[in-house]
Amino acid sequence: MIFTHDTEHALAVVVDLINTGAAASGTEELGGLPGLRAFVGRSAFSDVGDLTEADLARVLALRDRFHAVFRTGDVPTAVRLINEIVGEVRTTPHLTDHDGYDWHVHFFAPGAPVGEHLAADCGMALAYVVAAGELDRLRTCEAPDCSRVLVDLSRNRCRRYCDSRTCGNRMHVAAYRARQREAAL
């Protein structure tokens, strides 16, 4: 494990959030409150109340800002973007142990709106990545027809595709077939 469990969880949440957008996946998955509820449910957020249209608008705006962090390869730009995100929320760091997880830090106030929750926890997770000198682990899938993002948490930094079963498998099969065609000539 490169980062703590809660940091890796927040990184997975931000990847999932970015990949719900048309810019990354080609289709909008958060087009309304049902999509936001589904995202919150699969992200295993704790202490989230009723979701509103204002929550949806805030999450959609955050998604674009998080995506900008992944698209920049420039540390000063990433630092500026992350500082803007976390600087706009009231962070209330506190230790918690919930849902079977050992002690970890949440950066959002208990009962905070989902937008503050995302900005604080996911923003801080991205800050930890940059502070560790690991910005290059935030990537876009290398499959030519995919724009989804990923966090490469592999030891040797070899992850290239958003999903090994889809993009990875498709690209490996294409490379195999190209080698077979080349060998037949």
Side-chain angles (χ1 to χ4, degrees):
M1 184 180 300
I2 297 169
F3 300 103
T4 61
H5 161 71
D6 50 318
T7 299
E8 289 188 8
H9 177 262
L11 291 170
V13 168
V14 78
V15 163
D16 185 28
L17 176 62
I18 293 167
N19 289 337
T20 64
S25 66
T27 58
E28 176 59 63
E29 296 176 24
L30 294 182
L33 288 176
L36 181 59
R37 284 186 196 100
F39 168 74
V40 168
R42 74 175 172 264
S43 299
F45 287 150
S46 60
D47 199 22
V48 173
D50 292 333
L51 299 171
T52 67
E53 290 293 331
D55 291 323
L56 177 62
R58 176 73 193 271
V59 170
L60 292 175
L62 272 171
R63 180 179 66 191
D64 293 340
R65 296 171 77 189
F66 285 141
H67 201 178
V69 174
F70 276 74
R71 287 187 288 215
T72 186
D74 178 57
V75 172
T77 302
V79 168
R80 180 183 53 78
L81 293 168
I82 294 166
N83 282 341
E84 288 172 358
I85 291 168
V86 297
E88 293 173 1
V89 295
R90 174 182 49 103
T91 57
T92 310
H94 62 280
L95 284 166
T96 184
D97 66 338
H98 59 88
D99 300 327
Y101 294 108
D102 208 357
W103 291 107
H104 58 281
V105 178
H106 281 187
F107 292 96
F108 58 93
V114 69
E116 284 187 29
H117 180 133
L118 285 169
D121 270 7
C122 295
M124 288 305 298
L126 291 171
Y128 286 139
V129 170
V130 173
E134 303 286 352
L135 181 62
D136 61 333
R137 290 186 182 272
L138 306 180
R139 301 186 179 153
T140 300
C141 182
E142 289 184 22
D145 58 341
C146 185
S147 298
R148 297 171 69 84
V149 300
L150 61 110
V151 177
D152 181 2
L153 296 176
S154 67
R155 181 180 296 209
N156 62 355
R157 301 167 186 260
C158 65
R159 186 166 174 206
R160 299 172 53 199
Y161 306 110
C162 63
D163 187 345
S164 61
R165 292 169 303 210
T166 55
C167 289
N169 189 46
R170 192 173 65 251
M171 297 308 296
H172 292 303
V173 168
Y176 170 78
R177 288 181 178 157
R179 286 191 306 274
Q180 294 299 312
R181 280 191 302 273
E182 188 69 29
L185 295 177

